[in-house]
Amino acid sequence: MSDLMTSTNSEKEEIIEEVKQQLAAANAQELLTKMTEKCFCKCITRPGAQLNSSEQKCISMCMDRFIDSWNLVSRAYGTRIQREQNRINICKALCRENGFMGDEDGLVRGNRIS
C-alpha cells in the first residue's frame, strides 16, 4: 500500500471502501458472537445433543429481539453521528464566514481587520 498522503483520490477511495468492508465484517462478527453468548445463556438450561422445542423457541425469539435492538441502536448512533457532523459543518462555515481559519492548534483569526 502506498503512502496515504501521496495516494491518488482513486486509491484513497479504494482504501476507504476496503476499511468500510472490514468494519462491516467486524460488526457482523461481533453481532453474531454477542447474540450467541446472550441467547445461549438465556435459553439453554441443560446443554445436550438436541434443543427441545422451548429452547428452540426461546433462541429464535431471543435472536429476533437482539437483532431488532442492534438495528435500533445502530440507526440511533448513525443519526447522532450525522447530526454531529452537520453541527461541525455549520460551525466551520460560520468560522469561515467570520474570518476564522482552522489550523492544527484550533481556530486562529485570519488576516481580517476587526
Side-chain angles (χ1 to χ4, degrees):
M1 181 184 334
S2 63
D3 183 31
L4 193 57
M5 299 302 286
T6 59
S7 297
T8 66
N9 283 341
S10 175
E11 290 171 328
K12 287 177 184 176
E13 288 174 15
E14 191 176 311
I15 292 168
I16 289 170
E17 190 57 38
E18 185 177 323
V19 169
K20 284 181 181 179
Q21 289 175 1
Q22 290 174 356
L23 285 172
N27 280 336
Q29 182 63 44
E30 181 182 5
L31 170 64
L32 184 60
T33 300
K34 286 185 175 185
M35 184 174 53
T36 301
E37 290 171 358
K38 291 194 179 292
C39 293
F40 183 87
C41 289
K42 177 182 169 70
C43 298
I44 310 301
T45 54
R46 287 177 273 151
Q50 296 179 356
L51 299 175
N52 65 38
S53 61
S54 65
E55 289 171 333
Q56 289 176 4
K57 184 176 180 180
C58 180
I59 285 181
S60 178
M61 291 175 63
C62 179
M63 290 173 66
D64 288 344
R65 282 193 310 268
F66 195 92
I67 290 172
D68 289 344
S69 298
W70 181 279
N71 288 335
L72 178 69
V73 169
S74 294
R75 281 192 305 274
Y77 183 68
T79 300
R80 183 173 181 178
I81 287 174
Q82 185 62 48
R83 188 174 55 236
E84 288 300 313
Q85 186 62 48
N86 290 341
R87 187 182 67 78
I88 289 168
N89 290 338
I90 290 169
C91 288
K92 285 180 180 178
L94 289 172
C95 287
R96 279 192 302 274
E97 221 175 79
N98 291 302
F100 288 96
M101 295 180 285
D103 67 1
E104 291 177 10
D105 299 321
L107 294 175
V108 295
R109 191 70 161 165
N111 293 328
R112 182 173 172 204
I113 300 173
S114 348

